[in-house]
Amino acid sequence: MIAHVAETGEDRGRVVLRLDVGSQPSTHSIAAAVRVAQAFQSGIESLVIADRQLYELVAFPFAVEVSRSGQTQKLTAEALDRDVVTAAGGLNRVVRVQAARAGVHVRERVVRDEPVLAVARTCAELGPWNVVALAEPFTAGHASIVRSLFDTVHGATGIVVAGPKVRNRPGPLLVAIEDMDRLPPMLRAAERIADVTRDEVKLLLISEDPRELDWMEDQARLVLGEMGRVSLEPSVPARSSAEVAERLRRLCGGFLIAQFGGVVVPGSSDRSADLGPLLAALECPMLLVR
């Protein structure tokens, strides 16, 4: 799948920023979404989601709202609507400020739905070339959410996330390649995102097999022959996600593009615990591709 976002005016997609009511968004996540939109000359769909389960809960007679002072009152759908509107206003203000600095257009929407389905329906309306961005800080527990999004949202070519240790600092754009078929489209996306801040691009080849790494390096050099701004990092066999995380940390990247569900960013249920080393080491946002 090509990591791509439709340009403004094409009406075939944009960066869909998922903001969940009641969550605490990361300004680094929002900044990463804005950077991707700016790179592809696209817009942002600020999608504030009120989980439908909240409204189902209100229907129960025992549902009450507890204030900070300890007072309780019956929770109603009308009161919940008011809270959602207030929360959406605060979330969208943060998005508008960051987007305005980059000259990125923002369209705001508030929906009552199951979060993954809300994103899927929004992307289906906009077209096939969307990138989804999660406003919450990315943690090991979000691996299942990203997997659900990739499985359900067919109109998304990638997902932007930012971990808890992300800092606002310059650095090279890192591209981690585990499948050589993905190299050309991932490099094209990398060059566009790197153009926003004129960063260099560093390519990191990932494999446990030294012979496969040699072959990957030969193929990469053929592709890089016409890309003077992209440098190839020395190839070293990677035997674990922790080893890869440490290499990425030492490169001090400003942005990372990687495949979800591989060695770099584990995504299957039996390897989800391996996300810990990456999130502990990585200080830049990521664009995850299928």
Side-chain angles (χ1 to χ4, degrees):
M1 174 66 73
I2 299 173
H4 179 73
V5 193
E7 293 186 12
T8 300
E10 287 185 308
D11 293 327
R12 302 191 67 191
R14 55 173 57 91
V15 176
V16 177
L17 177 62
R18 171 179 145 168
L19 296 140
D20 296 333
V21 169
S23 66
Q24 185 63 39
S26 163
T27 56
H28 299 299
S29 300
I30 296 172
V34 170
R35 181 173 178 180
V36 172
Q38 187 179 13
F40 287 90
Q41 300 178 5
S42 183
I44 286 182
E45 183 90 3
S46 182
L47 183 65
V48 179
I49 303 173
D51 196 323
R52 181 181 294 163
Q53 292 184 355
L54 292 174
Y55 286 87
E56 293 174 351
L57 178 63
V58 168
F60 291 103
F62 56 77
V64 296
E65 182 178 14
V66 182
S67 68
R68 292 183 179 179
S69 62
Q71 295 181 329
T72 62
Q73 62 179 355
K74 179 70 177 71
L75 188 60
T76 65
E78 292 75 13
L80 185 56
D81 280 336
R82 290 194 296 270
D83 291 343
V84 167
V85 170
T86 300
L91 294 171
N92 282 322
R93 276 194 295 273
V94 177
V95 178
R96 285 197 299 267
V97 168
Q98 294 212 35
R101 293 172 183 163
V104 172
H105 175 72
V106 178
R107 176 182 172 184
E108 300 170 2
R109 181 186 301 197
V110 181
V111 298
R112 182 195 303 183
D113 205 344
E114 191 278 323
V116 173
L117 292 179
V119 174
R121 292 188 177 105
T122 300
C123 289
E125 293 174 8
L126 300 175
W129 303 113
N130 300 283
V131 160
V132 175
L134 301 183
E136 289 182 77
F138 186 63
T139 66
H142 284 85
S144 60
I145 296 176
V146 173
R147 173 61 64 191
S148 295
L149 288 169
F150 273 130
D151 290 344
T152 307
V153 186
H154 303 296
T157 65
I159 298 175
V160 176
V161 297
K165 293 194 68 176
V166 168
R167 297 190 296 169
N168 183 21
R169 70 175 188 190
L173 195 147
L174 310 177
V175 185
I177 296 294
E178 302 179 53
D179 180 353
M180 293 304 291
D181 290 339
R182 290 178 167 85
L183 176 59
M186 288 172 70
L187 278 181
R188 286 195 294 271
E191 288 198 299
R192 294 195 67 159
I193 296 172
D195 278 342
V196 173
T197 50
R198 302 298 178 186
D199 294 325
E200 63 177 323
V201 178
K202 292 187 176 183
L203 177 62
L204 186 67
L205 304 177
I206 308 296
S207 176
E208 299 179 6
D209 186 345
R211 289 175 296 180
E212 183 180 20
L213 268 180
D214 290 340
W215 173 82
M216 292 173 70
E217 186 169 336
D218 290 340
Q219 297 300 308
R221 292 191 185 280
L222 292 175
V223 175
L224 299 182
E226 301 176 357
M227 297 181 176
R229 67 181 298 184
V230 182
S231 62
L232 180 60
E233 287 297 301
S235 299
V236 178
R239 296 176 178 83
S240 69
S241 297
E243 289 183 14
V244 176
E246 176 59 19
R247 290 193 66 193
L248 292 170
R249 184 191 68 79
R250 292 178 180 178
L251 291 173
C252 299
F255 206 98
L256 170 66
I257 300 179
Q259 175 188 345
F260 179 72
V263 175
V264 182
V265 188
S268 59
S269 58
D270 60 331
R271 302 181 71 177
S272 59
D274 289 342
L275 267 175
L278 178 67
L279 296 176
L282 199 64
E283 297 181 344
C284 67
M286 297 182 283
L287 170 59
L288 307 177
V289 299
R290 296 179 186 272

